């Protein structure tokens, strides 16, 4: 079995990885985190076993790069962690739901990671635990707590759900 | 507010709906940035693009050494890319910049304004006798033809006529390495990787200019 051209990996998994890093590092640093992730993935791609789970491998890299990017961002003199107020920038997905971005950003790291990796990337809890440390059960609880907190801090979504 | 059961799948769906996939403009910007960074880092082993031409869409691929593959649409670009991933490197990205010069020269050729290609070539997809035979082809001048037997003789193996045919059929760099100028000894056109229609078109193009 041979590996597909890397271009195929970018096409197939680029959008999912972008959602994951956007949820983990926020809209502002998402493009940097995505770029770092795929550059590192391209570098390591020849050594990836042909039968590997590519998406899980990418999320593993994205997790490390997200931590790097967040640290680098925190060291900058004027960090911009908040979503800028831009009510008319329709069509830009990062502005689609600023309340949800804020709610995600307010989650403790473990919860945000568990929510992003499980709900956006579809990673099993066992693999999330291998990434973030702790047990699979702890990852499951973190994801559940994260979702509950999102519901609580995201009234518009709750309204929609209640309707 | 109505109470409802929050099934995990439903939560995932809601979350994905609220965080939509990036649009094409974002992905396209990220892709360009990746290609540029990969090139700068020296890990863009195979860069490729497609080029519209009078003989259909052409796939052009280059390593850092030079042009490594030209493929006609009838040869299946997806298959050609898979072969590149397997035989050269899986680090394959759509990255047009490296093919700018090749594209320009091919455009000039099809416009009748270029008779010779001046491009660095990477011959790694062609080996041994096939490579020796193909290396003789640029000696057949624009607008002229040679027979398979003549190419075999020029390559130092006059009896290897069939092998020359195979070399032409598997030429990784058609157009630039002009296997379309090789015809049968009886004057008939013979086969062509891009189809006989394309071969006819190229011979007509060159005889008209």
């Amino acid at each position: 079995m041979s590996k597909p051209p890397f271009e195929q990996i970018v096409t197939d998994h680029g959008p999912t990885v972008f959602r994951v890093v956007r949820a983990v590092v926020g809209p502002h640093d998402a493009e940097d985190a995505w770029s770092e992730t795929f550059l590192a993935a391209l570098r390591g791609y020849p050594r990836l076993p042909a039968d590997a789970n590519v998406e899980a491998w990418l999320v593993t890299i994205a997790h490390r790069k997200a931590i790097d990017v967040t640290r680098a961002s925190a060291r900058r003199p004027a960090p911009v962690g908040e979503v800028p107020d831009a009510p008319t920038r329709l069509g830009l997905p990062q502005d689609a739901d600023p309340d949800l971005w804020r709610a995600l950003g307010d989650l403790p790291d473990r919860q945000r990671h568990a929510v992003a990796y499980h709900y956006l990337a579809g990673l099993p809890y066992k693999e999330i635990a291998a990434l973030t440390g702790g047990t699979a059960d702890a990852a499951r609880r973190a994801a559940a707590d994260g979702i509950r907190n999102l519901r609580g801090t995201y009234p518009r979504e709750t309204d929609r759900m209640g309707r | 507010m109505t109470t409802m059961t929050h099934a995990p799948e439903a939560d995932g769906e809601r979350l994905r709906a609220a965080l939509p996939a990036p649009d094409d403009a974002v992905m396209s910007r990220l892709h360009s940035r990746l290609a540029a960074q990969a090139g700068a880092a020296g890990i863009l082993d195979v860069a490729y693009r497609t080029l519209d031409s009078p003989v259909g869409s052409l796939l052009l691929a280059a390593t850092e050494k030079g042009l490594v593959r030209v493929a006609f649409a009838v040869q299946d670009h997806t298959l050609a890319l898979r072969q590149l991933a397997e035989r050269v490197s899986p680090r394959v990205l759509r990255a047009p910049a490296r093919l700018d010069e090749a594209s320009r020269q091919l455009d000039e050729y099809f416009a009748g304004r270029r008779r010779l290609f001046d491009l660095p070539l990477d011959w790694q997809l062609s080996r041994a006798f096939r490579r020796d035979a193909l290396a003789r082809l640029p000696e057949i001048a624009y607008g002229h033809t040679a027979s398979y037997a003549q190419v075999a003789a020029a390559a130092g193996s006059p009896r290897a006529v069939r092998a020359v045919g195979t070399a032409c059929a598997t030429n990784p760099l058609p157009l630039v390495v002009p296997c379309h100028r090789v015809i049968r000894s009886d004057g008939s056109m013979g086969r062509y990787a891009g189809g006989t229609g394309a071969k006819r078109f190229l011979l007509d193009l060159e005889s008209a200019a």
Side-chain angles (χ1 to χ4, degrees):
Chain A
M1 191 168 119
S2 68
K3 267 182 287 189
F6 193 75
E7 179 70 23
Q8 191 67 45
I9 305 298
V10 180
T11 305
D12 291 350
H13 304 287
T16 295
V17 171
F18 189 72
R19 285 167 123 179
V20 169
V21 295
R22 211 169 43 176
V24 171
V25 302
H28 183 72
D29 290 326
E31 296 201 7
D32 282 350
W34 188 96
S35 295
E36 292 293 322
T37 298
F38 273 88
L39 195 63
L42 177 63
R43 197 181 291 280
Y45 188 53
R47 292 186 304 277
L48 183 74
D51 60 351
N53 177 340
V54 174
E55 196 148 283
W57 173 67
L58 289 170
V59 171
T60 305
I61 300 171
H63 177 68
R64 291 199 306 266
K65 294 301 175 185
I67 291 171
D68 293 349
V69 166
T70 307
R71 278 183 192 145
S73 189
R75 276 198 301 269
R76 282 201 286 270
V80 187
E82 292 296 307
V83 179
D85 288 326
T88 59
R89 291 169 70 201
L90 290 171
L92 291 180
Q94 60 263 40
D95 296 324
D97 230 329
D99 292 344
L100 180 57
W101 287 119
R102 207 163 287 129
L104 264 169
D106 288 344
L107 289 182
D109 283 355
R110 293 187 69 87
Q111 291 182 17
R112 197 169 62 253
H113 291 153
V115 166
Y117 302 153
H118 184 72
Y119 287 105
L120 295 179
L123 237 58
Y125 291 115
K126 199 174 131 214
E127 291 189 34
I128 296 173
L131 262 185
T132 60
T135 63
D137 277 345
R140 186 194 312 275
R141 280 195 300 276
D145 291 347
I147 286 289
R148 194 179 314 115
N149 282 331
L150 285 181
R151 280 185 208 131
T153 57
Y154 186 49
R156 267 203 290 147
E157 181 68 1
T158 312
D159 289 348
R160 211 178 296 153
M161 279 155 50
R163 255 173 233 150
Chain B
M1 191 182 95
T2 335
T3 31
M4 48 186 292
T5 330
H6 298 294
E9 306 78 49
D11 279 321
E13 253 171 56
R14 242 172 249 127
L15 193 63
R16 285 190 293 274
L19 305 176
D23 60 28
D24 291 348
V26 173
M27 288 319 294
S28 161
R29 183 168 69 238
L30 288 169
H31 190 288
S32 302
R33 186 173 164 191
L34 174 64
Q37 288 179 326
I43 54 174
L44 180 49
D45 296 345
V46 180
Y48 77 89
R49 64 164 288 176
T50 53
L51 178 73
D52 287 334
S53 87
V55 291
S57 174
L58 301 171
L59 175 78
L60 312 178
T63 64
E64 286 189 333
K65 279 190 206 153
L67 192 65
V68 71
R69 182 79 207 259
V70 175
F72 294 99
V74 292
Q75 292 178 299
D76 189 345
H77 292 176
T78 307
L79 181 67
L81 287 169
R82 286 199 160 264
Q83 288 168 341
L84 285 163
E86 203 170 308
R87 296 177 59 187
V88 179
S89 164
R91 287 177 182 152
V92 178
L93 270 186
R94 183 167 45 74
R98 193 182 284 173
L99 286 315
D100 279 353
E101 183 58 23
S103 305
R104 194 177 64 80
Q105 293 192 18
L106 281 161
D107 281 340
E108 290 171 353
Y109 170 77
F110 285 115
R113 288 186 278 111
R114 172 172 289 274
R115 293 169 164 249
L116 272 178
F117 289 99
D118 181 16
L119 293 167
L121 302 181
D122 183 338
W123 285 96
Q124 68 170 297
L125 291 176
S126 187
R127 293 184 198 285
F129 177 77
R130 291 182 189 179
R131 179 167 167 172
D132 295 340
L134 292 174
R136 314 303 302 216
L137 299 189
E139 293 167 15
I140 312 170
Y142 184 95
H144 293 72
T145 54
S147 68
Y148 292 100
Q150 285 170 322
V151 174
S157 307
R159 284 191 292 185
V161 179
R162 288 184 65 89
V164 169
T166 308
C168 287
T170 58
N171 178 7
L173 296 162
L175 299 170
V176 175
V177 175
C179 54
H180 58 277
R181 293 178 198 150
V182 186
I183 61 171
R184 291 199 181 123
S185 301
D186 65 5
S188 68
M189 213 168 49
R191 295 156 67 96
Y192 188 55
T196 47
K199 191 167 187 174
R200 179 82 275 155
F201 177 90
L202 297 171
L203 293 174
D204 288 350
L205 170 78
E206 295 190 3
S207 63

